[in-house]
Amino acid sequence: MRTRPIAVAATAVAATALLTSATATATAAPASPRTAAPGFLTADDLPPHATSPWYAGPVTKGLPEELFCVDGALPKRPGAYHRTFHTEYDTHASQVAVKTASAKAAGKLAAKLEKRVANCAADWLRDNPGSTASWDDYGTVEAGNSAHIYGVHTAPPESEHGVNLFAVVRKGTKVTVVRWAQMGTLPDAPVPAFRQTTTMAAARL
C-alpha cells in the first residue's frame, strides 16, 4: 500500500517529541450500570513485542492526558473511559472507549475520529514547521458495525521518527479508538497483527 508523504520546510524547530506514554487524568471509580465501562483490550490482545511483554494499566474513567491525533474530538462525558499499555522499551499503546446516547451518535463520533486521524499528519505539520510526516489508510476490518485502521508517521527535525497505528471501531452505541506507537516509520508498523487487535477491540467492546 502506497504511503502518503507530507513534508514542510521551515526554520522553526518542532516543539515536542511524539513518543510519550499517556497518563491518566482521572482515577478509577465504581460505575453504575447505566455508565458502566465498555469492555477493553487486555495486554495479550496487542501486537506482540519482540523482546518485552505488554503491561496494562487499569480501566480508568475519563480521557487520558495525551490524545495524539484525536485531541478535542472525544467528548468528556460520564461514558468515557481509557486504558494505557506499555512495554519495557519505547512501544506503548492506549485505548479510549465512549458510550454515546444512540447508534446514530456513535456513527457520527466514529466518522469524526476517522477524519481527524486521516488529517493528523497534515495537522501535525502545521504545528511543527520544519518537520516531515506521512500517513496511510490500511482499510477497514470486518468487526463491530465499522472498523478502520490508519497509520501516521511523524519526524521532527534532527529527532526520532515516530510511527502510530490507529483503529476506530463502532459497535452499537459505543465507539473506541486504539493507538499503538513506537519509534520508527510506517514500514515498521505491525499492521497484520494490529488488524487482529482491532477485531479483539470490537469483540470486547
Side-chain angles (χ1 to χ4, degrees):
M1 188 169 292
R2 184 166 60 86
T3 299
R4 297 161 173 82
I6 306 173
V8 173
T11 57
V13 177
T16 57
L18 167 64
L19 294 171
T20 56
S21 296
T23 55
T25 58
T27 56
S32 68
R34 188 171 62 87
T35 59
F40 274 73
L41 294 167
T42 67
D44 292 339
D45 295 326
L46 294 167
H49 191 280
T51 56
S52 171
W54 280 96
Y55 303 95
V59 174
T60 304
K61 214 170 185 181
L63 301 178
E65 187 174 276
E66 184 198 10
L67 284 169
F68 181 64
C69 288
V70 295
D71 187 24
L74 287 159
K76 297 178 180 179
R77 62 172 72 212
Y81 293 81
H82 72 276
R83 188 175 210 177
T84 60
F85 307 84
H86 68 277
T87 66
E88 295 169 355
Y89 298 92
D90 66 290
T91 309
H92 60 277
S94 64
Q95 181 182 6
V96 179
V98 177
K99 297 179 73 173
T100 68
S102 66
K104 183 177 180 180
K108 289 183 177 179
L109 177 57
K112 182 179 181 180
L113 290 167
E114 288 188 30
K115 184 177 180 180
R116 185 67 65 88
V117 175
N119 293 334
C120 181
D123 292 340
W124 184 84
L125 281 175
R126 280 191 286 272
D127 295 331
N128 296 274
S131 303
T132 59
S134 58
W135 71 286
D136 217 333
D137 182 341
Y138 294 115
T140 60
V141 177
E142 292 186 6
N145 297 116
S146 68
H148 207 136
I149 297 176
Y150 300 87
V152 178
H153 160 252
T154 56
E158 300 181 6
S159 187
E160 297 89 354
H161 290 245
V163 60
N164 295 261
L165 291 175
F166 289 90
V168 178
V169 181
R170 176 175 65 89
K171 184 179 180 182
T173 61
K174 293 173 284 188
V175 176
T176 190
V177 55
V178 182
R179 175 195 174 198
W180 170 98
Q182 71 172 26
M183 288 190 291
T185 60
L186 289 173
D188 300 317
V191 178
F194 193 72
R195 293 182 72 87
Q196 297 179 24
T197 297
T198 302
T199 299
M200 288 305 303
R204 296 189 184 280
L205 194 59

